[in-house]
């Protein structure tokens, strides 16, 4: 019986060894296949998927198909900021202008729905995710040269909250990606950045370091777990950073939890007017560790947070760059997988153009010229809309010098 049992054990061990050998061969074939695919892609001068050339051609085709779809008319002076609602089906668009007003628009009809008034020009507007998360109210938050940050309830048609504390005009605002967007960041002409608790209207902290006014701010992207939660950031913003651009020509990275300055990027030769983090989903090298910036020095630049170095400089604009965005593209590859091409960016300038840049070859990819009446483009938002052939068309909304807002797509 012992001999029979030993024989059975030897046979089982032999089968197991054969099974493991077969698995090793399968894994080796898969690794070789992936290596060959990446080699083929890199040979073409790209660092994406094996279908990178197809993606670039599809992107160019989509951009060429872009046309002026709608014009929103009502502002009497330059439009500094626009934002499309990310909730309620993206039905609304809001805008802030030098004419001291905040306006609400119906995206489908281009009809002006509401007007709210500040006593100074409005430098930045955003729909409040905090109020929508709390009670499904659609609320616009606006920052003004009158030193106030105001919240406007669309349904109530009135101001419902105001944050005061800056000693000079407020130029920019950004809602936190943590704690239900209860934290708001603001940048001001008083050279400071403030973090606010929207629920209590209290200042959580004041960040000082810039030598001149703060023109733009951005939180690092949401760190969402598989269960849909963004970790244990709480009101302290643990694990998150903040980026700011200033008239002192610098970009600064701040640790939100410790409230300390981490990095200073120097390289721009004039005011930094726009900063954006890459996303965690981005296939750009570095992803969320990459900062995109636009400047009055007419350039667009990329920065690596890990190495604290400038990566690339994009030149082509003939006047001030007021906005820079990662372009929202999605194209179906030949194997049926949706691939987002995060290697494209766009920028808007007072030279009256929107230019598209390819990170892979450090060159201009395409250009859209504003209409003659625009006389310069001062704000830009890249949206994403799915069309009937399962491609996601780039949709761009921008504000111009005389007060017109245009939707391209």
């Amino acid at each position: 019986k012992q001999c029979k049992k030993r024989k059975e054990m030897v046979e089982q061990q032999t089968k197991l060894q054969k099974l493991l050998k077969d698995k090793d061969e399968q894994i080796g074939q898969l690794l070789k296949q992936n290596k060959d695919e990446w080699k083929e892609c890199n040979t073409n001068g790209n660092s994406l998927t094996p279908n990178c050339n197809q993606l670039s051609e599809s992107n160019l085709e989509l951009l060429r198909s872009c046309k002026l779809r709608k014009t929103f008319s009502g502002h009497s002076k330059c439009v500094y900021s626009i934002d499309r609602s990310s909730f309620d089906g993206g039905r609304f668009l809001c805008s802030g202008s030098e004419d001291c007003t905040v306006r609400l628009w119906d995206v489908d009809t281009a009809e002006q729905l509401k007007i709210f008034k500040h006593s100074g020009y409005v430098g930045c507007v955003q729909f409040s995710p905090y109020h929508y998360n709390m009670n499904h109210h659609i609320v616009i938050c606006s920052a003004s040269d009158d030193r106030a940050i105001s919240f406007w309830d669309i349904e109530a048609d009135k101001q419902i909250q105001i944050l005061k504390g800056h000693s000079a005009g407020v130029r920019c605002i950004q809602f936190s990606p943590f704690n239900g967007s209860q934290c708001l960041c603001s940048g001001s002409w008083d050279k400071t950045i403030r973090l606010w608790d929207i629920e209590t209207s209290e200042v959580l902290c004041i960040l000082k370091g810039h030598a001149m006014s703060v023109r733009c701010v951005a939180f690092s992207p949401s760190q969402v777990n598989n269960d849909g939660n963004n970790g244990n950031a709480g009101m302290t913003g643990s694990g998150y950073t903040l980026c700011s651009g200033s008239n002192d020509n610098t970009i600064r990275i701040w640790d939100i939890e410790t409230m300390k300055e981490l990095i200073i990027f120097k390289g721009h030769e004039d005011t930094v007017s726009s900063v954006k983090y890459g996303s965690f989903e981005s296939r750009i090298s570095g992803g969320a560790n990459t900062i995109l910036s636009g400047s009055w020095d007419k350039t667009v630049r990329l920065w690596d947070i890990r190495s604290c170095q400038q990566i690339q400089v994009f030149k082509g604009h003939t006047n001030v760059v007021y906005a820079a965005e990662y372009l929202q593209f999605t194209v179906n590859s030949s194997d049926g997988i949706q691939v987002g091409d995060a290697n494209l960016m766009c920028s808007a300038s007072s030279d009256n153009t929107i230019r598209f840049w390819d990170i892979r070859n450090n060159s201009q990819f395409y250009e859209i010229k504003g209409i003659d009446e625009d006389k310069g483009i001062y704000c830009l938002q890249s949206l994403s809309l799915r069309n009937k052939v399962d491609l996601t068309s780039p949709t761009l909304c921008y504000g111009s010098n005389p007060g017109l807002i245009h939707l391209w797509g």
Side-chain angles (χ1 to χ4, degrees):
K1 289 182 179 180
Q2 289 179 348
C3 291
K4 184 178 179 180
K5 187 174 181 179
R6 189 179 295 110
K7 183 179 179 181
E8 290 175 350
M9 290 176 65
V10 171
E11 290 176 351
Q12 289 176 356
Q13 186 175 8
T14 302
K15 289 180 181 179
L16 180 60
Q17 289 174 343
K18 186 178 183 301
L19 180 62
L20 291 173
K21 182 180 179 181
D22 292 341
K23 288 293 183 183
D24 286 341
E25 290 177 354
Q26 291 176 12
I27 292 171
Q29 290 175 356
L30 288 173
L31 290 173
K32 183 179 183 301
Q33 180 181 352
N34 288 338
K35 183 177 180 180
D36 291 342
E37 288 176 346
W38 280 103
K39 183 178 180 181
E40 178 185 350
C41 189
N42 288 329
T43 301
N44 293 329
N46 299 290
S47 57
L48 300 174
T49 65
N51 298 304
C52 45
N53 284 338
Q54 176 192 349
L55 292 178
S56 295
E57 292 172 2
S58 300
N59 290 343
L60 184 57
E61 181 182 345
L62 285 172
L63 284 173
R64 284 174 175 165
S65 68
C66 283
K67 297 179 181 179
L68 178 59
R69 302 296 183 183
K70 291 184 177 71
T71 296
F72 304 80
S73 179
H75 285 295
S76 59
K77 292 184 179 180
C78 181
V79 178
Y80 287 133
S81 179
I82 51 176
D83 188 35
R84 186 175 182 179
S85 60
S86 58
F87 31 79
D88 200 36
R91 175 187 168 192
F92 299 113
L93 179 78
C94 67
S95 57
S97 167
E98 188 182 2
D99 64 12
C100 305
T101 68
V102 175
R103 302 186 186 226
L104 178 72
W105 312 84
D106 186 301
V107 173
D108 293 331
T109 65
E111 178 186 0
Q112 182 177 286
L113 303 176
K114 304 281 185 180
I115 302 177
F116 303 106
K117 296 182 179 180
H118 275 275
S119 58
Y121 77 79
V122 181
C124 190
V125 291
Q126 284 192 3
F127 284 101
S128 170
Y130 170 74
H131 290 88
Y132 192 79
N133 292 337
M134 289 294 291
N135 50 32
H136 287 274
H137 281 200
I138 297 178
V139 173
I140 300 172
C141 181
S142 58
S144 171
D145 195 47
D146 62 14
R147 306 182 184 181
I149 301 170
S150 298
F151 294 84
W152 313 89
D153 190 300
I154 291 175
E155 187 176 350
D157 196 19
K158 66 178 182 179
Q159 184 185 76
I160 59 170
Q161 188 177 0
I162 187 168
L163 304 178
K164 289 186 176 182
H166 282 293
S167 59
V170 186
R171 188 62 184 85
C172 50
I173 50 174
Q174 182 74 46
F175 287 90
S176 68
F178 52 85
N179 199 44
S181 301
Q182 187 177 331
C183 179
L184 180 75
C185 175
S186 61
S188 168
W189 292 101
D190 66 11
K191 309 176 189 177
T192 70
I193 299 165
R194 296 183 181 233
L195 296 179
W196 307 79
D197 184 335
I198 300 174
E199 183 177 358
T200 64
S201 298
E202 294 180 355
V203 176
L204 298 172
C205 68
I206 301 174
L207 304 177
K208 297 181 180 180
H210 282 295
M212 298 181 71
S213 62
V214 180
R215 298 282 305 192
C216 49
V217 290
F219 281 103
S220 58
S222 178
Q223 305 169 11
V224 179
N225 299 326
N226 293 332
D227 59 2
N229 295 320
N230 59 353
N232 298 315
M235 282 302 291
T236 63
S238 176
Y240 286 86
T241 58
L242 180 71
C243 179
S244 59
S246 168
N247 280 69
D248 65 11
N249 306 350
T250 69
I251 299 168
R252 299 177 188 240
I253 309 296
W254 312 79
D255 185 290
I256 296 175
E257 186 175 19
T258 63
M259 297 180 284
K260 291 183 178 180
E261 183 181 281
L262 300 176
I263 304 170
I264 303 177
F265 288 117
K266 295 181 179 180
H268 279 300
E269 298 173 4
D270 208 331
T271 295
V272 180
S273 51
S274 177
V275 289
K276 294 287 188 302
Y277 280 88
S279 68
F280 283 104
E281 294 79 14
S282 167
R283 295 188 337 280
I284 290 177
S285 176
N289 290 304
T290 305
I291 299 291
L292 169 66
S293 64
S295 169
W296 287 15
D297 65 10
K298 309 175 188 178
T299 68
V300 177
R301 305 186 187 220
L302 280 175
W303 312 81
D304 190 294
I305 296 175
R306 297 165 301 181
S307 66
C308 304
Q309 297 293 320
Q310 178 179 284
I311 307 171
Q312 287 172 285
V313 183
F314 302 88
K315 297 181 179 180
H317 282 294
T318 59
N319 213 325
V320 170
V321 176
Y322 280 105
E325 294 269 347
Y326 292 99
L327 195 60
Q328 297 188 26
F329 256 124
T330 305
V331 180
N332 280 1
S333 61
S334 59
D335 56 7
I337 299 175
Q338 290 186 349
V339 183
D341 195 346
N343 286 275
L344 294 179
M345 310 174 304
C346 58
S347 54
S349 167
S350 56
D351 66 11
N352 212 35
T353 68
I354 298 173
R355 299 180 190 237
F356 300 85
W357 310 92
D358 192 330
I359 296 173
R360 292 162 293 194
N361 54 28
N362 201 52
S363 66
Q364 183 174 311
F365 187 76
Y366 193 67
E367 177 183 325
I368 291 177
K369 293 183 179 180
I371 62 176
D372 292 340
E373 291 85 349
D374 288 337
K375 299 178 181 178
I377 300 172
Y378 287 79
C379 57
L380 173 71
Q381 188 173 31
S382 172
L383 309 173
S384 187
L385 297 176
R386 183 166 302 283
N387 66 23
K388 296 180 180 179
V389 292
D390 289 332
L391 297 176
T392 298
S393 303
T395 302
L396 299 172
C397 188
Y398 72 83
S400 65
N401 188 25
L404 298 175
I405 301 169
H406 300 296
L407 188 68
W408 285 70

